[in-house]
């Protein structure tokens, strides 16, 4: 059999004759290879220029991926609680008012790291009567002034912290100089026991709000009257100072200005004033006016030789003199020593009055001292407990400093 016939018999079906097809060159020439390389580089450069992507022209697909939160675990039927009924939304101030919790922001800031003072009241907290009481208010040249109401109703009685039952030695503490520095004032209101009485300076700002906060926290309040010291004007209590050399009408007008600054006080306490309080003639018109308005007066005990007790008895003004100035020496050990002496005096006399400034150191020592005072058998009472004693003028008025 011939070779042609043998190819026909052995060649697979459907495969064309190799000789009948054109053959492709497997190894191109060097010039052709260079041309192909240049073409590829040009195409790649064009793709990057048009698309900004080094993979320009390469087939791609894009898919949008949506991230969903994983479903919360399904509680067991026994653990599931019925949904709470929705009520009207409340502001922060409404929540504070409803709960009785007071949140003080001294600098007014709402920043997360801003300082705040939070006061959680006792459920059995003593409540003071609202102020001002229209029955005890009259209009003056500078603003509202306290007065005696019908039936001889006195601001001293209405605005006082109510009496609390108890027996044993009692101590009244009056802290003065509040209303000037907001941080110190709010700190004293929040940290001191409610039975401690607070005196506000007439030179403070937003005093009505401060007085309201103090009374809502249970503190009885008094008014500081700026009075002339011996070294005036080197020591200057302020522009509305009551002067020993002033005409009675001028001093009464200055006192009226101070009394119009905020409502709800049970009486006044001197701010400085050693010279004025040592001159009975200049002091009498002032104390007589306080008596006619149903108020009391406290001598803070810092100045010797005052005529307050004598003039108060003459004008039938309820008055008292502090027997101990707690922070006359402003050192922690000295303050603690005076507080210990105060306890001893209370056990001897039954009732004693002390005064202090509102310095941060004093507030801190008073706060510490008062924590377990009742456990030592001594009760704190407000200043009005002394001013309202039977007989009008307190026996403590004549005590020596």
């Amino acid at each position: 059999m011939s070779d042609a016939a043998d190819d026909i018999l052995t060649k697979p079906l459907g495969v064309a004759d190799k000789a009948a097809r054109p053959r492709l060159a497997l190894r191109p020439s060097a010039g052709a290879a260079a041309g192909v390389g240049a073409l590829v580089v040009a195409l790649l450069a064009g793709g990057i220029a048009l698309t900004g992507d080094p993979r320009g022209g390469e087939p791609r697909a894009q898919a949008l991926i949506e991230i969903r939160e994983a479903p919360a675990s399904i509680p067991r039927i026994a653990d599931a609680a019925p949904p709470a009924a929705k009520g009207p939304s409340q502001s922060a101030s409404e929540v504070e008012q409803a709960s009785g919790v007071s949140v003080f922001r001294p600098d007014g800031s709402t920043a997360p790291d801003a300082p705040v003072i939070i006061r959680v009241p006792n459920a059995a907290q003593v409540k003071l009567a609202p102020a001002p009481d229209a029955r005890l208010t009259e209009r003056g040249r500078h603003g509202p002034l306290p007065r005696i109401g019908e039936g001889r109703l006195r601001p001293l009685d209405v605005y006082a912290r109510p009496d609390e039952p108890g027996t044993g030695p009692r101590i009244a503490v009056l802290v003065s100089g509040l209303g000037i520095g907001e941080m110190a004032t709010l700190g004293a209101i929040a940290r001191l026991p409610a039975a401690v009485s607070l005196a506000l300076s007439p030179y403070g700002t937003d005093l009505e709000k401060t007085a309201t906060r103090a009374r809502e926290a249970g503190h009885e309040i008094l008014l500081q009257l700026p009075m002339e010291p011996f070294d005036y004007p080197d020591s200057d209590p302020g522009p509305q100072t009551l002067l020993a050399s002033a005409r009675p009408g001028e001093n009464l007008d200055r006192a009226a200005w101070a009394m119009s600054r905020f409502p709800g006080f049970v009486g006044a306490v001197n701010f400085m004033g050693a010279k004025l309080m040592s001159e009975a003639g200049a002091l009498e018109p002032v104390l007589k006016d306080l008596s006619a308005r149903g108020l009391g007066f406290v001598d803070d005990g810092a100045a010797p030789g005052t005529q307050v007790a004598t003039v108060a008895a003459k004008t039938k003004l309820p008055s008292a003199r502090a027997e101990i100035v707690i922070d006359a020496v402003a050192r922690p050990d000295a303050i603690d020593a005076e507080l210990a002496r105060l306890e001893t005096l209370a056990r001897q006399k039954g009732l004693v009055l002390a005064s202090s400034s509102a310095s941060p150191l004093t507030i801190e020592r008073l706060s510490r001292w008062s924590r377990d005072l009742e456990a030592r058998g001594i009760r704190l009472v407000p200043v009005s407990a002394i001013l309202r004693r039977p007989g009008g003028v307190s026996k403590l008025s004549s005590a020596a400093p």
Side-chain angles (χ1 to χ4, degrees):
M1 187 178 294
S2 67
D3 291 339
D6 186 53
D7 288 341
I8 294 173
L9 291 175
T10 60
K11 182 174 62 178
L13 293 176
V15 177
D17 186 3
K18 294 178 182 180
R21 295 183 300 172
R23 295 176 182 261
L24 295 175
L26 296 178
R27 289 183 295 180
S29 63
V36 172
L39 179 61
V40 171
V41 172
L43 289 175
L44 289 175
I48 294 174
L50 291 174
T51 65
D53 188 346
R55 294 176 298 176
E58 181 179 329
R60 288 178 294 170
Q62 293 182 341
L64 179 62
I65 300 175
E66 181 179 355
I67 300 176
R68 297 183 179 179
E69 294 182 359
S73 58
I74 301 175
R76 295 178 299 172
I77 294 178
D79 296 337
K86 293 184 178 180
S89 60
Q90 291 181 304
S91 65
S93 60
E94 290 172 336
V95 172
E96 290 176 18
Q97 184 176 4
S99 65
V101 175
S102 300
V103 180
F104 303 146
R105 301 170 181 85
D107 58 0
S109 173
T110 58
D113 59 345
V116 297
I117 298 173
I118 301 176
R119 187 177 191 279
V120 181
N122 190 325
Q125 178 178 320
V126 175
K127 300 294 183 181
L128 276 63
D133 187 325
R135 301 171 300 171
L136 307 174
T137 305
E138 68 180 14
R139 193 70 187 173
R141 188 171 79 88
H142 302 285
L145 294 173
R147 70 177 182 91
I148 294 178
E150 293 184 8
R152 302 295 299 172
L153 192 63
R154 301 182 302 177
L156 172 58
D157 299 315
V158 175
Y159 296 144
R161 178 180 169 86
D163 293 332
E164 297 179 70
T167 59
R170 295 175 295 166
I171 294 175
V173 176
L174 175 60
V175 176
S176 298
L178 296 166
I180 299 295
E182 187 177 21
M183 189 64 181
T185 299
L186 296 181
I189 291 173
R191 297 186 64 188
L192 293 176
V196 172
S197 300
L198 307 178
L200 307 185
S201 167
Y203 299 118
T205 58
D206 208 4
L207 285 174
E208 289 191 24
K209 188 175 182 179
T210 301
T212 298
R213 281 178 170 173
R215 300 185 78 254
E216 285 179 349
H219 296 283
E220 185 178 85
I221 60 174
L222 286 86
L223 164 70
Q224 273 193 301
L225 277 180
M227 296 180 171
E228 181 182 3
F230 280 112
D231 58 347
Y232 180 85
D234 291 336
S235 295
D236 190 352
Q240 299 290 339
T241 296
L242 280 61
L243 302 174
S245 59
R247 296 187 302 272
E250 184 177 356
N251 277 341
L252 292 179
D253 185 69
R254 294 185 175 192
W257 174 85
M259 286 188 283
S260 69
R261 299 287 288 144
F262 60 91
F265 52 90
V266 299
V269 58
N270 62 290
F271 175 47
M272 300 189 187
K275 181 175 177 59
L276 179 69
M277 293 190 298
S278 67
E279 299 190 16
L283 182 63
E284 182 174 340
V286 177
L287 298 193
K288 184 177 180 180
D289 183 63
L290 294 177
S291 178
R293 296 185 181 282
L295 300 169
F297 185 81
V298 174
D299 178 343
D300 69 1
T306 71
Q307 298 297 309
V308 172
T310 301
V311 177
K314 182 178 179 180
T315 59
K316 299 181 179 179
L317 171 70
S319 69
R321 177 181 171 87
E323 299 185 67
I324 290 180
V325 180
I326 295 170
D327 55 355
V329 179
R331 293 196 320 266
D333 60 329
I335 292 173
D336 292 344
E338 289 299 276
L339 291 172
R341 187 164 75 92
L342 186 59
E343 291 187 39
T344 301
L345 201 58
R347 291 188 176 94
Q348 293 173 355
K349 293 190 171 185
L351 176 61
V352 63
L353 171 63
S355 68
S356 79
S357 72
S359 72
L361 173 62
T362 303
I363 299 302
E364 191 269 335
R365 303 317 295 177
L366 277 172
S367 177
R368 286 175 176 268
W369 167 77
S370 64
R371 287 173 188 170
D372 57 352
L373 187 61
E374 289 192 7
R376 299 195 296 274
I378 298 178
R379 290 190 301 125
L380 282 173
V381 295
V383 170
S384 62
I386 296 175
L387 296 176
R388 299 167 67 200
R389 294 180 73 183
V393 180
S394 169
K395 294 179 181 179
L396 300 182
S397 299
S398 59

